Amino acid sequence: MLTKNQSKRILRLNKKKFRTQEQMFVTEGIKVTQEFLDAGYELVEVFSTDLGYAQYSHAFVHISENELSSISTLKTPNKVLSIFRIPLPKPLDDSNLILALDDLNNPGNLGTIIRLCDWFGIRDLVCSPATVDCYNPKVVQSAMGSHTRVNITYSALEPLLSSSSNAMGTFMQGDSIYATSLPNSGVLVLGNEANGISENLNSFLDTKLTIPKFGPFKKTESLNVANAASIILSEWRRQSIEK
Amino acid sequence: MLTKNQSKRILRLNKKKFRTQEQMFVTEGIKVTQEFLDAGYELVEVFSTDLGYAQYSHAFVHISENELSSISTLKTPNKVLSIFRIPLPKPLDDSNLILALDDLNNPGNLGTIIRLCDWFGIRDLVCSPATVDCYNPKVVQSAMGSHTRVNITYSALEPLLSSSSNAMGTFMQGDSIYATSLPNSGVLVLGNEANGISENLNSFLDTKLTIPKFGPFKKTESLNVANAASIILSEWRRQSIEK
């Protein structure tokens, strides 16, 4: 049975303030939870309609479907909700390409980009401090476990870019990604959904990249940032095969 | 002032059944509405808090902010809601690559894919009959006017694929898109979000394509279909530049 106090503690973790304070986050559903369990994340508490989860923690609470619904952020809760400890980020590996996000707002976009990093083997994702929190429940659910394979760090982007010899950013005008040799290492910055890359980062960038438009109209105003990420990471990996 | 009857007529158009019956759809906001006006779509009625829209139609209704909110599907309605006539699709142009969608469910994905077609100069998008309706309000809003530059047809995919000499589909296993010469014309099928491409289409496909995974883990289960579309269309255009 779920106590009022447990319920309150879980729901508080939907807010960044409390996640930061407690250094904990919530996962939901069998698949996503299993990814974090398999990756050895420290399980703090597990709440489930399924007794099988008792094996993972002494802090197991058997709950009803209704209780699960009352603590879930999902439309159709799926058997389990867990609280994990937020891990410390690892040092960056600058021998690989680092992806950096400048003030991304949308949790779905961040989740999708974490998944794309996982797909394309980007180890390090650096988020500007104003970027949506990667342990936001929507981000965790949309990344579908890819958090466990991508090292996510929140820090100011200026020092990262100024220390890199290959600092690249995406713009509406710039060098075509197809005609530019994309380096194996360096930093690639993607900007905010509405405003792009902050002006104060411009002077730190060595290369301005763009995804060309095609066809007779060329009137599409912009690409969704997650689509832009998928296109550039794909092109980067394609070039690395050819090298 | 908005009459009860007008309000009822507008809200009914949120349902596919009534859009099909009336052959009309709704656009919202200044930008999206302007795209359809500029493209010469037949305006049936326009409801706005701004008298400036009176120039576009005799069927102009001046409404209050509250009235706009009552008929809008947006969290923050933006000055105007219009009803346009659904245009007849044009015949397909098989000299260009045709994108086909097999039972796509998610309106946001379809909207994003229409935008991607616009970006990459895909003229024809063919949707299987069970694909979400492209005049669904969420699709219209997320495509941001790209409907006006992409010819969207709903029809069974079997005849389209069987008559094409380059019928391609995306799968978890197949030929790498980077190592395959992607033809200038033909049909590229993307599958449903959960189930991929229907089994009954398999025998019509000449090529099974895949987007390779990279990095040490290769555990990401799948890519979002809109990301997959963006990656493959980008690679197709890149190859066309090189030819």
Side-chain angles (χ1 to χ4, degrees):
Chain A
M1 223 203 54
L2 195 69
T3 67
K4 210 170 173 177
N5 190 35
Q6 285 168 331
S7 168
K8 200 173 152 190
R9 242 178 328 113
I10 296 163
L11 292 174
R12 275 159 54 117
L13 291 177
N14 292 336
K15 294 201 173 150
K16 185 179 169 183
K17 179 183 161 189
F18 293 109
R19 287 194 299 272
T20 308
Q21 197 172 298
E22 308 284 335
Q23 287 296 299
M24 293 175 193
F25 69 101
V26 169
T27 69
E28 290 205 59
I30 301 172
K31 273 195 175 182
V32 173
T33 298
Q34 198 61 44
E35 291 261 22
F36 288 91
L37 288 172
D38 291 348
Y41 276 57
E42 187 187 333
L43 183 62
V44 181
E45 259 173 309
V46 56
F47 303 86
S48 181
T49 56
D50 178 350
L51 285 168
Y53 284 94
Q55 67 176 298
Y56 295 108
S57 173
H58 292 298
F60 167 79
V61 184
H62 192 213
I63 58 175
S64 69
E65 293 280 357
N66 280 344
E67 287 172 331
L68 181 59
S69 288
S70 74
I71 51 174
S72 174
T73 59
L74 305 180
K75 274 186 199 162
T76 45
N78 185 3
K79 289 188 178 163
V80 61
L81 181 153
S82 300
I83 299 178
F84 286 96
R85 183 94 45 205
I86 293 178
L88 287 176
K90 301 180 194 83
L92 299 180
D93 170 13
D94 58 14
S95 70
N96 202 333
L97 183 69
I98 294 170
L99 189 66
L101 304 178
D102 182 27
D103 299 358
L104 233 72
N105 272 332
N106 183 293
N109 284 341
L110 179 54
T112 305
I113 288 173
I114 296 169
R115 248 171 114 187
L116 286 166
C117 287
D118 188 15
W119 187 279
F120 287 110
I122 292 281
R123 176 189 179 267
D124 287 307
L125 179 65
V126 179
C127 302
S128 68
T131 293
V132 57
D133 179 31
C134 71
Y135 294 106
N136 171 309
K138 281 186 197 163
V139 179
V140 173
Q141 293 310 121
S142 68
M144 296 168 73
S146 290
H147 282 76
T148 62
R149 292 177 292 270
V150 179
N151 181 43
I152 307 172
T153 310
Y154 281 74
S155 77
L157 302 187
E158 289 85 346
L160 177 72
L161 295 174
S162 66
S163 68
S164 170
S165 51
N166 281 313
M168 301 168 283
T170 55
F171 292 84
M172 291 304 291
Q173 306 282 343
D175 300 335
S176 161
I177 55 163
Y178 309 122
T180 306
S181 173
L182 302 172
N184 290 334
S185 64
V187 183
L188 171 67
V189 190
L190 300 173
N192 168 273
E193 289 88 346
N195 308 315
I197 293 177
S198 319
E199 266 191 46
N200 60 316
L201 294 184
N202 276 353
S203 60
F204 297 103
L205 295 172
D206 303 301
T207 314
K208 292 191 171 190
L209 293 173
T210 200
I211 301 169
K213 291 180 204 178
F214 293 86
F217 303 111
K218 300 190 180 66
K219 279 191 165 179
T220 336
E221 278 197 15
S222 63
L223 281 177
N224 167 287
V225 63
N227 287 326
S230 62
I231 291 166
I232 301 182
L233 294 182
S234 164
E235 177 57 13
W236 169 66
R237 277 301 189 184
R238 186 198 67 78
Q239 290 189 14
S240 76
I241 302 172
E242 290 210 335
K243 275 171 192 162
Chain B
M1 221 201 55
L2 195 67
T3 67
K4 211 170 172 179
N5 190 37
Q6 285 167 331
S7 168
K8 201 173 150 190
R9 240 177 330 114
I10 296 163
L11 293 174
R12 275 159 55 116
L13 291 176
N14 291 336
K15 295 202 173 150
K16 185 180 169 183
K17 179 184 159 188
F18 293 109
R19 288 194 298 273
T20 308
Q21 200 171 296
E22 308 284 333
Q23 287 297 299
M24 295 174 191
F25 70 101
V26 169
T27 70
E28 290 206 57
I30 301 172
K31 272 196 175 180
V32 173
T33 297
Q34 198 61 46
E35 291 262 21
F36 287 91
L37 287 172
D38 291 347
Y41 276 56
E42 186 188 335
L43 184 62
V44 180
E45 260 175 307
V46 56
F47 303 85
S48 180
T49 56
D50 178 351
L51 284 169
Y53 284 93
Q55 67 177 298
Y56 295 107
S57 173
H58 292 297
F60 167 78
V61 184
H62 192 214
I63 58 175
S64 69
E65 294 279 356
N66 279 343
E67 286 173 329
L68 181 59
S69 288
S70 74
I71 52 173
S72 174
T73 60
L74 304 180
K75 273 186 199 162
T76 45
N78 186 3
K79 290 190 178 161
V80 59
L81 182 151
S82 300
I83 300 179
F84 287 96
R85 183 94 44 203
I86 293 178
L88 286 177
K90 300 181 193 84
L92 299 181
D93 169 13
D94 58 12
S95 70
N96 202 332
L97 184 70
I98 294 169
L99 190 66
L101 304 177
D102 183 27
D103 299 359
L104 234 73
N105 271 331
N106 183 294
N109 284 341
L110 179 55
T112 305
I113 288 173
I114 296 169
R115 249 170 113 187
L116 286 166
C117 287
D118 188 17
W119 187 279
F120 287 110
I122 292 280
R123 177 189 178 268
D124 288 306
L125 179 65
V126 179
C127 302
S128 68
T131 294
V132 57
D133 180 31
C134 70
Y135 294 106
N136 171 309
K138 281 186 196 163
V139 178
V140 172
Q141 293 311 120
S142 68
M144 297 168 74
S146 289
H147 281 76
T148 63
R149 291 177 293 272
V150 179
N151 181 43
I152 308 172
T153 309
Y154 281 74
S155 77
L157 301 186
E158 289 85 345
L160 178 72
L161 295 174
S162 66
S163 68
S164 169
S165 50
N166 281 313
M168 301 168 283
T170 55
F171 291 84
M172 291 304 291
Q173 307 282 342
D175 300 337
S176 161
I177 56 163
Y178 309 123
T180 306
S181 173
L182 301 173
N184 290 334
S185 64
V187 183
L188 171 67
V189 190
L190 301 172
N192 168 273
E193 289 89 347
N195 308 315
I197 293 177
S198 320
E199 266 191 46
N200 59 314
L201 295 183
N202 276 352
S203 61
F204 297 103
L205 295 172
D206 302 303
T207 314
K208 293 190 171 191
L209 294 172
T210 200
I211 301 169
K213 291 179 203 180
F214 293 87
F217 303 111
K218 301 190 178 67
K219 278 192 168 178
T220 337
E221 277 198 16
S222 62
L223 281 177
N224 167 287
V225 63
N227 287 326
S230 63
I231 291 165
I232 301 183
L233 294 182
S234 163
E235 176 58 13
W236 169 67
R237 277 302 188 185
R238 186 198 66 77
Q239 291 189 11
S240 75
I241 302 172
E242 290 211 334
K243 275 170 193 166

